[in-house]
Amino acid sequence: MTGGSLSPVLRGGLLALLAAALFGLSTPLVQLWGRGVGPFTTAGLLYGGAGLVALFLRRPKDREAQLQRSDAGRLLAMALFGAVIGPVALVWGLQRTSGTSASLMLTLEALFTALLAWRLYNETVDRRVVLAMASLMAGGVVLAFDQSLQGTVQLLGLAAVMVATAAWGVDNTLSRGVADRDPGQVVLAKSGLGVIATFFLAVLFAEPLPTLLTAGVLLGIGATGYGLSLRFYLLAQRTFGAARTGSVFAFAPLMGAVGAFGLGERAVSALLVLGGMLMLAGVVLHLIESHDHAHAHEALEHEHAHAHDDGHHDHDHDHERKPQGTHSHLHKHAALVHRHPHVPDLHHGHKH
């Protein structure tokens, strides 16, 4: 009952891992190239790069569902939390703590995302997921204690990074509501709104202009670490649900820590290693989850990209031949009761 040859867990997990790798590796690069650049300017350049790449990611309406006017409020909120508060807090924090510890602290984004998805979308949070979140939290506590031993400035930087994780947790949860829309359009709209807001604030606070080289590099980092990463994240949410995508995305900080070490940072302590191991354990616990039971689907009419080989889209096309591969149009689902392995994707938001 899965689309193609990959199970929902594997497909969603791989997409989330790809998003995590791109974002995680961007963190130490932002710290390196963002030195001397104001946080609002840096955030604007990062999402400017995301917006530029999104121009080439958009799909026609027969391949992906298009954004609607009703999505405007959600997109504004996503831009506020995800393209303004999140990156600005991250950049401010990166200027005041080590890249390795900041990267690991970003793992807590998964915790905030899972909690919000559980409360707002009733996504299943079983004993294994709770244990995984507890492991992530324990790792964050160990990391905060490690940084407190290095002085107040380090701890303030880490606190700012935690604010960024909370903001992106809200953003991730909000984005679940547009996971069935064209990811290219979502990235473009969110990035455009974020760029307008952050550049306005940069001018308001008279931040210095970066060099052309610095601006170009930050745009490139934003194109891959924020634009492409967000596209893969949205596709993972569509397949995998908000909480599980957020949990797998917790690999991003570990990638960032490796990248920071590769760039020459040697601020690695026993407590930092312990915190990283606890966080990794939480991610692994979540990835090995298996969920299979009889469940009911209510009658539903909606529009999103789909294929006819996933066990949920067997509708006719009004005297037309069924399209091959992924396509998008308004379609109906009849009421159905069946059993198969599944995750909280667009079609499995049932209560337990």
Side-chain angles (χ1 to χ4, degrees), residues 275-319:
M277 291 178 64
L278 286 169
M279 290 176 170
L280 179 60
V283 174
V284 171
L285 278 171
H286 195 77
L287 277 177
I288 60 177
E289 176 190 12
S290 178
H291 191 68
D292 184 352
H293 63 90
H295 56 277
H297 294 272
E298 297 181 357
L300 174 67
E301 183 177 29
H302 62 171
E303 180 180 359
H304 66 95
H306 61 277
H308 289 287
D309 59 353
D310 62 0
H312 292 87
H313 295 88
D314 55 355
H315 51 266
D316 293 324
H317 277 253
D318 296 332
H319 309 294

Side-chain angles (χ1 to χ4, degrees), residues 13-90:
L14 289 176
L15 286 168
L17 281 173
L18 185 54
L22 290 171
F23 177 74
L25 291 174
S26 75
T27 301
L29 293 174
V30 169
Q31 184 184 46
L32 177 63
W33 286 95
R35 292 172 182 169
V37 183
F40 295 116
T41 302
T42 302
L45 288 169
L46 290 174
Y47 274 95
L52 288 175
V53 76
L55 288 172
F56 303 96
L57 297 177
R58 293 173 298 167
R59 297 291 185 90
K61 62 180 181 180
D62 62 336
R63 296 290 303 278
E64 288 281 1
Q66 308 295 288
L67 285 173
Q68 306 295 323
R69 290 184 179 179
S70 58
D71 299 322
R74 183 180 296 272
L75 289 169
L76 283 170
M78 287 171 58
L80 173 63
F81 286 99
V84 179
I85 297 175
V88 169
L90 173 64

Side-chain angles (χ1 to χ4, degrees), residues 218-242:
L218 288 174
L219 283 171
I221 296 171
T224 56
Y226 289 75
L228 288 177
S229 177
L230 178 56
R231 171 179 168 78
F232 292 130
Y233 192 98
L234 290 169
L235 290 173
Q237 275 195 335
R238 179 185 297 179
T239 306
F240 208 37

Side-chain angles (χ1 to χ4, degrees), residues 189-261:
K190 173 184 172 181
S191 300
L193 292 169
V195 168
I196 293 172
T198 50
F199 278 163
F200 172 78
L201 292 169
V203 173
L204 183 64
F205 287 92
E207 291 186 347
L209 292 175
T211 65
L212 288 177
L213 176 61
T214 298
V217 171
L218 288 174
L219 283 171
I221 296 171
T224 56
Y226 289 75
L228 288 177
S229 177
L230 178 56
R231 171 179 168 78
F232 292 130
Y233 192 98
L234 290 169
L235 290 173
Q237 275 195 335
R238 179 185 297 179
T239 306
F240 208 37
R244 284 146 182 81
T245 299
S247 292
V248 178
F249 193 73
F251 272 113
L254 298 179
M255 294 293 293
V258 172
F261 189 82

Side-chain angles (χ1 to χ4, degrees), residues 129-209:
V129 176
V130 171
L131 183 59
M133 290 192 297
S135 184
L136 288 167
M137 178 61 78
V141 170
V142 170
L143 185 56
F145 177 71
D146 173 60
Q147 290 303 294
S148 70
L149 300 178
Q150 301 187 34
T152 304
V153 175
Q154 288 279 324
L155 190 57
L156 283 176
L158 209 59
V161 176
M162 186 177 293
V163 170
T165 66
W168 274 322
V170 174
D171 173 35
N172 294 339
T173 309
L174 289 169
S175 67
R176 188 185 190 278
V178 289
D180 57 344
R181 309 295 195 213
D182 178 9
Q185 287 192 3
V186 175
V187 175
L188 182 60
K190 173 184 172 181
S191 300
L193 292 169
V195 168
I196 293 172
T198 50
F199 278 163
F200 172 78
L201 292 169
V203 173
L204 183 64
F205 287 92
E207 291 186 347
L209 292 175

